[in-house]
Amino acid sequence: MTAVDIAVVGAGPAGLSAAIEGARSGASVLLLDENDKPGGQLFKQIHKFFGSREHRAGTRGIDIGTQLLSEARELSIDIWLNAEVCGVYDNNELAVVVNHSTSKTVRAGAIVLATGATENAVSFPGWTLPGVMSAGAAQTMVNIHRVLPGHRVLMIGSGNVGVIVSYQLLQAGADVAAIVEAAPSLGGYGVHTAKVRRAGVPFYTSHTVLKAEGADRVESAVIVELDKDWNHVPETEKTLAVDTICIAAGLTPLVELGRSAGCHVVFEPTLGGWIPAHDSYMETSVPAVFVAGDIAGVEEASTAMEEGRLAGIGAAAVLGYYGADERNALSQVVWNRLDALRSGPYGRKRREAKEVLLRAGENAT
Amino acid sequence: MTIDRTQNEREGVAYTGTPSEQELHDSGGYATQERQERGPVAFIECVECIPCNPCESACPYHAITVGPDITALPQLDGEKCIGCGLCIAVCPGLAIYVKSKHHSETHTTISFPYEYVPLPSKGDTVNLTDRNGDVVCQGRVLNVFTSRRNDRTAVVQAEFDKRYCSEVVSMKLPRSDERERGR
Ligand SMILES: Cc1cc2nc3c(=O)[nH]c(=O)nc-3n(C[C@H](O)[C@H](O)[C@H](O)COP(=O)(O)OP(=O)(O)OC[C@H]3O[C@@H](n4cnc5c(N)ncnc54)[C@H](O)[C@@H]3O)c2cc1C
Ligand code: SF4
Ligand code: SF4
């Protein structure tokens, strides 16, 4: 049994930030991640981030990841890699499987769940052919392993993940035949869509994929137009010669550990589905169990980092490393930055959905 | 492949992926027509209220204003902008370029952000494109700026026939030309 003040599950931008804030207070921190490298999605994000200076705008995700890792090292945060957390039990005990072989138990004063999200699937005839993959898988291949998944790609979904991964596939040397979007308008930020558009990538709104064709791998894709009731419009099928189909159809928070801990969950479609309700310090309905990042509602890396900081400060305060006044003052600074990120037409919707979660969280505790 | 745009009858960035003329002119990111005639000046094509403002602090001449609400659209003051190009590589949206309409009697120059390899070289002839990625004309690369400050976003400066001044915004990826020739 390993005992620690704060155990953080998931070493993405949220978990790393939570661990750093927790350790700054003087608490002992253990950070666990199932991968062989820390960083979560950050090391796949080779583009420059938005925001303002205090959000490190203009800095690439990979470089933010490197900065966070060196901060974590300076603070002597203990990091377990290849460490999968399988359950949260009473008395804040975590069941951990290390290297797919050894099971360990960690007892923590406070727990921060920062497990991120999983990509949604879309099924269609031919979707089991090699060459059909999630956008995140393609992003991991090009940006982490430096392998091109294919030479000509069809992207399903025009949200930020779909357009950013399309851009990165172009940068890696693939052609993107088209980006299709079932909704009548595009989902991603206009500056991202404009970037791939001027590289010659066509967008098809009100379109979906009908099927993938090919003998033993994808050789082409058939797309079709949708009417306003989402029905296929007859005789609008188009066949695109592609060898890869990427699916970017949204993300769902990975809440299993929250459920395992007994957290009260709320359904909030704007933020990806079932989400643990939490208060403004990111504490869930279970005392001393916190959430941060995509598990607390799918947003962006920049918001995930701020939520991680809130959770780290909150967890430290629960353990007595900060008094209430200090906690409130530190949290307020972070909230100001979060509010700035959650403004404008894109941010406002997320902010309103977050407020529902917060109200549910305040009522549950 | 011919691109069928019939399904994108509705104008605007949310439908076509690229801002419409109307959105661009309403956003406040352009200098006046008269200023554009006078010398190099920035063109900011950022038409949605996203939380972002690095362009504001990038400009040493205080020609770009976003203000305290970071989702406000960047406003260009054409009288302050000298067209130095320092803001181009700083913008994470790659939404800024600089044009000098009357660079010479016959030619316009453009400096735009470019994040693909291989980078073009000085003196290369490249295909310059409009916002839809369609080739408008050829141009000659005058410079490729890759300073550390640009953090791996190159700025390509090219000159081209003045007649196409208003359409050109970027260049075609050279490798896609090669593939088309090979087909
Ligand atoms: C494919 C993809 C692309 C994206 N692209 C962008 C983008 O370009 N820009 C942007 O701003 N946002 C992007 N996002 C949104 C993204 O959700 C945030 O950027 C950010 O990564 C969320 O941070 P996080 O720390 O909550 O989760 P993550 O970065 O996903 O980190 C969670 C970590 O927890 C680990 N983990 C999960 N469960 C367990 C467990 N049981 N035990 C141990 N470890 C566990 C995971 O393996 C992972 O390493 C993308 C998301 C995805 C999935
Ligand atoms: S081109 Fe130079 S002067 Fe003009 S807005 Fe950009 S940084 Fe400022
Ligand atoms: S830096 Fe670029 S994307 Fe950000 S507000 Fe300025 S112009 Fe828009």
Side-chain angles (χ1 to χ4, degrees), chain A residues 266-272 275 278 296-299 303 307 335 338-339 341-361:
Chain A
V266 180
F267 191 71
E268 197 39 69
T270 317
L271 296 168
I275 295 162
H278 55 78
V298 173
E299 293 186 82
T303 45
E307 287 198 342
W335 266 107
L338 258 179
D339 286 342
L341 289 173
R342 288 183 185 142
S343 52
Y346 287 97
R348 198 172 303 128
K349 274 184 245 155
R350 290 189 271 119
R351 182 173 173 164
E352 283 163 10
K354 270 309 257 202
E355 278 161 8
V356 174
L357 281 183
L358 285 168
R359 275 196 300 276

Side-chain angles (χ1 to χ4, degrees), chain A residues 50-51 191, chain B residues 44-48 50-56 64 66 70 72-74 87 90-96:
Chain A
F50 298 110
V191 285
Chain B
I44 308 177
E45 304 204 337
C46 181
V47 304
E48 286 179 342
I50 53 173
C52 189
N53 72 356
C55 51
E56 181 174 48
I64 306 178
V66 176
I70 65 167
L73 295 179
C87 51
V90 174
C91 165
L94 307 195
I96 309 178

Side-chain angles (χ1 to χ4, degrees), chain B residues 28-93:
Chain B
Y30 282 178
T32 59
Q33 202 69 40
E34 181 272 327
R35 171 66 188 80
Q36 292 174 18
E37 301 288 328
R38 251 194 288 137
V41 71
F43 288 71
I44 308 177
E45 304 204 337
C46 181
V47 304
E48 286 179 342
C49 298
I50 53 173
C52 189
N53 72 356
C55 51
E56 181 174 48
S57 49
C59 177
Y61 304 94
H62 308 289
I64 306 178
T65 309
V66 176
D69 171 7
I70 65 167
T71 56
L73 295 179
Q75 301 297 303
L76 181 75
D77 182 340
E79 295 312 311
K80 290 185 180 161
C81 174
I82 64 154
C84 69
L86 283 172
C87 51
I88 298 172
V90 174
C91 165

Side-chain angles (χ1 to χ4, degrees), chain A:
Chain A
M1 163 98 69
T2 306
V4 65
D5 285 338
I6 303 173
V8 180
V9 186
L16 274 167
S17 305
I20 288 166
E21 281 302 333
R24 272 194 192 139
S25 76
S28 64
V29 177
L30 172 64
L31 180 58
L32 304 118
D33 197 286
E34 61 195 357
N35 296 290
D36 55 1
K37 289 199 190 88
Q41 310 302 320
L42 269 182
F43 288 93
K44 301 185 212 169
Q45 295 174 3
I46 59 170
H47 55 284
K48 293 177 178 173
F49 280 13
F50 298 110
S52 65
R53 180 172 298 157
E54 56 267 30
H55 308 113
R56 305 195 216 189
T59 310
R60 296 179 190 278
I62 29 169
D63 298 327
I64 294 178
T66 307
Q67 286 168 16
L68 290 177
L69 282 187
S70 75
E71 272 179 70
R73 261 192 295 274
E74 275 162 36
L75 289 161
S76 310
I77 291 167
D78 200 5
I79 305 181
W80 288 5
L81 298 172
N82 297 310
E84 192 182 342
V85 178
C86 320
V88 182
Y89 301 120
D90 293 346
N91 310 321
N92 285 348
E93 279 182 17
L94 298 177
V96 189
V97 174
V98 183
N99 293 327
H100 301 290
S101 54
T102 323
S103 72
K104 293 194 176 177
T105 308
V106 172
R107 177 175 285 183
I111 295 173
V112 179
L113 300 175
T115 48
T118 183
E119 296 181 86
N120 299 337
V122 174
S123 60
F124 47 86
W127 78 308
T128 53
L129 281 172
V132 181
M133 65 187 74
S134 74
Q139 193 182 36
T140 306
M141 286 170 83
V142 291
N143 294 347
I144 306 274
H145 304 296
R146 297 182 176 237
V147 178
L148 262 191
H151 294 287
R152 212 170 147 74
V153 182
L154 170 67
M155 180 65 67
I156 315 292
S158 71
N160 276 330
V161 172
V163 283
I164 290 172
V165 174
S166 295
Y167 181 60
Q168 294 174 352
L169 283 163
L170 290 169
Q171 288 181 301
D175 285 338
V176 178
I179 300 178
V180 300
E181 169 58 59
S185 64
L186 303 172
Y189 284 172
V191 285
H192 286 315
T193 59
K195 214 159 58 172
V196 293
R197 189 75 194 92
R198 67 175 175 261
V201 177
F203 284 99
Y204 289 90
T205 52
S206 297
H207 271 71
T208 191
V209 61
L210 197 59
K211 58 184 168 186
E213 293 174 324
D216 45 26
R217 62 158 299 134
V218 175
E219 287 164 17
S220 62
V222 181
I223 62 170
V224 66
E225 196 173 333
L226 297 172
D227 67 17
K228 60 181 193 320
D229 302 315
W230 308 86
N231 298 316
H232 297 169
V233 180
E235 287 163 49
T236 57
E237 294 85 1
K238 283 184 198 65
T239 302
L240 305 176
V242 294
D243 57 11
T244 306
I245 301 176
C246 289
I247 300 165
L251 304 171
T252 300
L254 272 172
V255 294
E256 289 80 356
L257 291 180
R259 287 186 193 267
S260 155
C263 301
H264 173 60
V265 291
V266 180
F267 191 71
E268 197 39 69
T270 317
L271 296 168
W274 291 100
I275 295 162
H278 55 78
D279 64 13
S280 61
Y281 305 102
M282 306 309 295
E283 191 169 15
T284 66
S285 62
V286 180
V289 175
F290 293 75
V291 284
D294 281 355
I295 184 182
V298 173
E299 293 186 82
E300 301 175 333
S302 35
T303 45
M305 288 187 276
E306 302 299 358
E307 287 198 342
R309 291 193 182 96
L310 286 175
I313 294 164
V318 161
L319 301 175
Y321 286 94
Y322 290 133
D325 288 348
E326 216 172 348
R327 173 190 71 171
N328 297 353
L330 288 168
S331 302
Q332 192 52 52
V333 179
V334 183
W335 266 107
N336 293 343
R337 290 199 297 259
L338 258 179
D339 286 342
L341 289 173
R342 288 183 185 142
S343 52
Y346 287 97
R348 198 172 303 128
K349 274 184 245 155
R350 290 189 271 119
R351 182 173 173 164
E352 283 163 10
K354 270 309 257 202
E355 278 161 8
V356 174
L357 281 183
L358 285 168
R359 275 196 300 276
E362 314 281 353
N363 292 339
T365 43

